[in-house]
Amino acid sequence: MLDIVQIPVLNDNYVYLAHETESSKTAVVDPAVAGPVLDALEERGWPLDYVLNTHHHGDHVGGNLELQKKTGCQIVGCGSDNRRIPGIQIQIDEGDRFMLGKAEARIFAVSGHTLGHIAYWFHRHDALFCGDTLFSMGCGRLFEGSPTQMTESLDKIRQLPGSTRIYCAHEYTQANGNFALTMEPGNRDLLERMKEVRRLRQQDLSTVPSTLTEEWATNPFLRLDSPELIRTLAIDSADPVEVFAEIRRRKDHFS
Ligand code: ZN
Ligand code: FE
């Protein structure tokens, strides 16, 4: 079994502990800060074996060195971005496999938000740690990559099983959903989901993870062939990269 613990930190970041119960190995995904991670580990009596980073941004690697120093854990990250991952010891990239005890993660390169962004898919456990690539009803901004790269990256994720739980790194769901409604005001799945999201957020509860099935139905960045979406955009081309780029451009200027 893979036990996953969500730790909310900073304004809207989620850090995750992943604990493989058979071998009792534990990893933390994208530790923005060390303190709350050390507390959560101590509460459960889990020693830390690995830091798994998805990309180099400070709100994902900020706790790396302190955790390494205090726990002796090993730091895992993208080999092609090794100079920007503090303390990196194990370098991985597209097509690699990483073993957390008995649990295997397949590694995808998902450039776009940054170059050298990776995702960890624990396929037998239906869990994807995708950092700032796919969000619930949204996707990461293009700080370093191109629309072509991000479209390809999202497409890799889109092809996973619908039961995959999307452990993204931020609670952006409600704002993303408000934007998605401007793209597809007639999408009934989206309207239904937003009711639930508003209910959860009113109580300050997490909306993450969602499942990939929910994202297929509601996330505009995974719905590049939706007729309603293409009508809203009023662009001539139905080329997925151009549709993606136009949605991303509008989202960048939305509130
Ligand atoms: Zn980021
Ligand atoms: Fe982030």
Side-chain angles (χ1 to χ4, degrees):
M1 260 210 355
L2 194 66
D3 282 347
I4 297 174
V5 177
Q6 183 178 57
I7 310 170
V9 302
L10 308 179
N11 277 339
D12 51 33
N13 278 76
Y14 288 130
V15 175
Y16 298 99
L17 297 182
H19 176 76
E20 199 278 299
T21 52
E22 220 178 306
S23 62
S24 204
K25 294 282 182 201
T26 305
V28 61
V29 181
D30 282 352
V33 288
V37 174
L38 292 166
D39 291 345
L41 289 163
E42 192 180 70
E43 227 173 272
R44 292 165 180 81
W46 296 344
L48 185 63
D49 298 288
Y50 303 102
V51 165
L52 307 181
N53 287 133
T54 63
H55 68 293
H56 74 89
H57 283 157
D59 63 321
H60 299 254
V61 303
N64 276 21
L65 296 179
E66 187 179 341
L67 288 169
Q68 189 177 48
K69 198 165 141 204
K70 292 199 169 142
T71 69
C73 69
Q74 294 207 284
I75 294 177
V76 183
C78 180
S80 70
D81 213 5
N82 56 6
R83 282 168 304 125
R84 300 195 292 183
I85 307 288
I88 188 169
Q89 290 149 302
I90 300 176
Q91 303 193 16
I92 53 176
D93 216 323
E94 173 74 27
D96 285 338
R97 277 141 210 262
F98 174 79
M99 297 303 297
L100 174 63
K102 303 232 147 95
E104 182 185 83
R106 296 191 189 158
I107 309 306
F108 300 118
V110 286
S111 289
H113 177 68
T114 67
L115 301 174
H117 193 308
I118 54 175
Y120 299 79
W121 181 38
F122 287 89
H123 51 99
R124 285 203 191 84
H125 305 86
D126 264 343
L128 178 77
F129 296 98
C130 53
D132 291 353
T133 297
L134 182 66
F135 291 125
S136 185
M137 296 194 271
C139 77
R141 277 177 192 260
L142 302 187
F143 286 120
E144 297 175 10
S146 66
T148 303
Q149 284 173 318
M150 191 58 143
T151 306
E152 283 170 8
S153 297
L154 291 173
D155 208 47
K156 289 181 193 173
I157 295 175
R158 201 167 60 95
Q159 289 175 34
L160 300 181
S163 52
T164 307
R165 286 164 295 152
I166 307 297
Y167 290 94
C168 61
H170 291 275
E171 178 62 61
Y172 290 160
T173 311
Q174 191 162 9
N176 285 342
N178 287 337
F179 172 75
L181 281 171
T182 68
M183 297 286 103
E184 292 187 289
N187 179 337
R188 300 188 58 171
D189 291 320
L190 179 56
L191 290 162
E192 277 306 302
R193 184 150 177 229
M194 278 305 280
K195 279 190 209 161
E196 175 66 4
V197 165
R198 285 189 203 102
R199 191 186 66 75
L200 289 167
R201 293 310 295 152
Q202 264 164 22
Q203 301 171 68
D204 222 14
L205 295 173
S206 173
T207 65
V208 175
S210 56
T211 65
L212 189 54
T213 297
E214 292 175 293
E215 296 307 320
W216 287 337
T218 60
N219 189 325
F221 297 100
L222 298 185
R223 297 173 55 75
L224 304 178
D225 56 357
S226 150
E228 186 183 14
L229 185 65
I230 292 169
R231 246 182 289 124
T232 301
L233 298 175
I235 54 173
D236 295 333
S237 169
D239 174 69
V241 175
E242 286 179 39
V243 173
F244 170 83
E246 181 60 16
I247 308 171
R248 189 59 260 177
R249 193 185 66 75
R250 293 196 186 199
K251 176 68 168 68
D252 289 345
H253 298 285
F254 180 78
S255 76

